[in-house]
Amino acid sequence: MNSYLLFKSLHLIAVISWMAGLLYLPRIFVYHVENIDHKISSSIFKTMERKLFYFIMMPAMILSWIFGLILISVIGFEVILTLWLKLKLILIILLTIYHFYLGKLLDDFKLDQNTKSSKFFRIINEVPTILLILVVFIVIFKPI
């Protein structure tokens, strides 16, 4: 079996899972804000948010990084010198920062200290989409 294709497949599966969480968690935050006065609904949203972040998003992010780094080592570390990989890594670092920012927002909800509006969460929900589009084009076209 070709190890490069195996790790590339595992990387893509992990990235898809991570992106699903990055796109869905802010949407749950929207509904949470809009139902913040309903204690039962708020409790359900807190459970959903926590499970999504810690049981799906966090492992998917870690596996995305691990399999991505393994791919770099399989291809050869000289690939790090290419422009396309430098750009991709910058965007992935931004996605990782966004991921941990969502974790901070999750903690705010957990402590009933959220100060953000549903409009805010609708707007930041576009961040991973934009970064994903850029990453896909960079990886497909590989600018030198």
Side-chain angles (χ1 to χ4, degrees):
M1 180 186 301
N2 185 329
S3 64
Y4 172 76
L5 293 178
L6 172 66
F7 290 120
K8 188 174 187 177
S9 298
L10 293 171
H11 178 66
L12 285 170
I13 291 165
V15 167
I16 290 167
S17 299
W18 185 28
M19 287 305 304
L22 290 173
L23 292 165
Y24 188 48
L25 186 58
R27 178 54 50 184
I28 297 174
F29 289 160
V30 168
Y31 300 135
H32 194 160
V33 169
E34 292 175 349
N35 291 281
I36 202 80
D37 295 330
H38 302 99
K39 290 291 183 201
I40 294 173
S41 296
S42 184
S43 175
I44 292 169
F45 286 123
K46 286 178 184 180
T47 301
M48 291 171 61
E49 293 157 358
R50 180 180 47 79
K51 287 183 178 183
L52 176 61
F53 188 80
Y54 289 106
F55 299 133
I56 296 173
M57 292 171 62
M58 192 64 80
M61 180 196 64
I62 292 167
L63 290 172
S64 295
W65 272 100
I66 289 171
F67 293 130
L69 293 172
I70 289 171
L71 283 172
I72 290 171
S73 72
V74 168
I75 295 169
F77 288 103
E78 63 275 359
V79 75
I80 293 175
L81 301 174
T82 61
L83 176 62
W84 75 269
L85 189 57
K86 289 177 186 175
L87 293 172
K88 178 185 176 185
L89 287 172
I90 289 167
L91 295 173
I92 299 309
I93 289 168
L94 290 175
L95 273 175
T96 303
I97 292 167
Y98 177 80
H99 172 100
F100 286 109
Y101 179 65
L102 291 179
K104 185 250 185 254
L105 296 171
L106 175 79
D107 288 341
D108 290 346
F109 275 109
K110 180 176 120 181
L111 300 171
D112 295 319
Q113 295 176 349
N114 173 59
T115 59
K116 311 288 189 223
S117 68
S118 62
K119 183 177 181 178
F120 170 82
F121 291 114
R122 282 186 174 90
I123 291 169
I124 69 160
N125 196 33
E126 302 308 321
V127 170
T129 304
I130 293 165
L131 293 176
L132 173 65
I133 290 167
L134 292 172
V135 168
V136 168
F137 278 106
I138 288 167
V139 170
I140 298 297
F141 291 101
K142 290 185 172 75
I144 296 176

